[in-house]
Amino acid sequence: METGDQLIADVFTTRAKELSAEEKQKLEEQNKRLVPEFKANKLEVDAQRHWDIFYKRNETRFFKDRHWTTREFQELLDQSDSRDAEKRRTLLEVGCGVGNLVFPLLEEQSSEEGNEECVPCGRFYFYACDFSPRAVDFVRANPLYDPSSITAFQCDITTQQVHEHIPAGSLDVCTMIFVLSAIHPHKFDAVVQNLWRLLKPGGLVLFRDYGLYDMAQLRFKPGNKIAENLYVRQDGTRSYYFAEQEVAQLFTTSGFEVLTNAYVHRRTLNIKEGVDVPRIFLQGKFRKKAM
């Protein structure tokens, strides 16, 4: 995709990045000073507080609206009779933040109907949850927030809290976009098992997150590494970098089948600005097996 002086190229592959000698050295340097165990444990205890402080500081300004999701995940454009509220599908956005995914989707539904008053008749009814109460408050304060189209609530997706808000076996789609990486790896299984329980047979998880050896991983200095592929940022939030086979095993073990699962090697070039930014993400679609 090309935009003015900016060129964005995506390459999908199941092969991990091959590291240069310099990049291998950077990873070795990270191992020289790890986050102490007591600090790592405190980061887990204070995880919600760190995200609340993040949203207090940045409010709705940090993340851009994710208009790209319907390009990457055509399932978000699917096709039921959107004028029949009884046939609306149900979608849960896990880790909704301030609504950068759900509100663009609501706007698209509105424009398809040709009338902003028709949003409640859109293709989805949305649930949106986040770990941060402050983030959920921003979602509820958005002018597009309408309980006939969306329910936003705070919960810890690693626990059973989500089941207090959404019936088991009721969802058609779950999105998990740059969310699982913020959770401790010991809790990944619990998250995926919660999604399995919430989805209907045949329901989908749409996944995108940071891929192994992404530029951001290689930039961490000694003192930021907690465990293998797990790091803490300066603001106390954490980030994990995923291998393709690891994610496939995570979902298949919990009863999903893999539809797609690949690294996205994205390179953004802006010759005029002298910018060359290579990123690596992992993107997948996982379907709950029918019983």
Side-chain angles (χ1 to χ4, degrees), residues 146-274:
D146 182 342
S148 64
S149 296
I150 177 174
T151 297
F153 57 95
Q154 188 277 334
C155 83
D156 178 353
I157 194 63
T158 70
T159 71
Q160 298 297 303
Q161 292 175 356
V162 67
H163 303 293
E164 299 170 10
H165 301 270
I166 304 174
S170 66
L171 295 178
D172 295 285
V173 179
C174 291
T175 63
M176 196 158 50
I177 311 295
F178 299 107
V179 173
L180 196 60
S181 55
I183 295 170
H184 195 285
H186 290 169
K187 298 183 177 181
F188 288 169
D189 285 334
V191 174
V192 176
Q193 288 162 17
N194 273 333
L195 301 189
W196 186 92
R197 183 178 167 192
L198 291 169
L199 285 163
K200 300 173 182 176
L204 294 175
V205 175
L206 307 179
F207 177 91
R208 186 168 171 125
D209 220 316
Y210 301 109
L212 190 65
Y213 306 142
D214 177 49
M215 173 188 69
Q217 179 180 11
L218 298 175
R219 283 184 172 178
F220 280 109
K221 303 297 183 185
N224 290 92
K225 185 173 181 179
I226 301 170
E228 193 66 21
N229 300 324
L230 178 65
Y231 300 81
V232 60
R233 302 185 184 96
Q234 287 187 346
D235 63 3
T237 63
R238 294 167 298 180
S239 185
Y240 187 85
Y241 296 84
F242 290 94
E244 177 264 341
Q245 292 182 343
E246 171 187 23
V247 173
Q249 183 176 1
L250 176 65
F251 278 90
T252 55
T253 300
S254 292
F256 288 88
E257 58 180 321
V258 178
L259 301 183
T260 63
N261 185 40
Y263 296 106
V264 182
H265 291 260
R266 161 162 285 206
R267 189 178 180 193
T268 303
L269 287 171
N270 191 315
I271 297 172
K272 184 177 180 180
E273 300 291 334

Side-chain angles (χ1 to χ4, degrees), residues 91-103:
L91 181 149
L92 167 64
E93 182 186 3
V94 180
C96 62
V98 298
N100 297 104
L101 183 149
V102 68
F103 288 125

Side-chain angles (χ1 to χ4, degrees), residues 18-46:
E18 293 186 9
L19 295 172
S20 66
E22 181 183 358
E23 290 168 335
K24 290 178 181 178
Q25 181 62 32
K26 287 181 179 179
L27 291 178
E28 290 173 6
E29 288 292 320
Q30 292 173 356
N31 290 326
K32 290 183 177 179
R33 185 159 58 91
L34 300 179
V35 174
E37 184 178 359
F38 77 91
K39 182 179 177 181
N41 292 337
K42 192 170 190 309
L43 287 169
E44 176 66 17
V45 171
D46 293 341

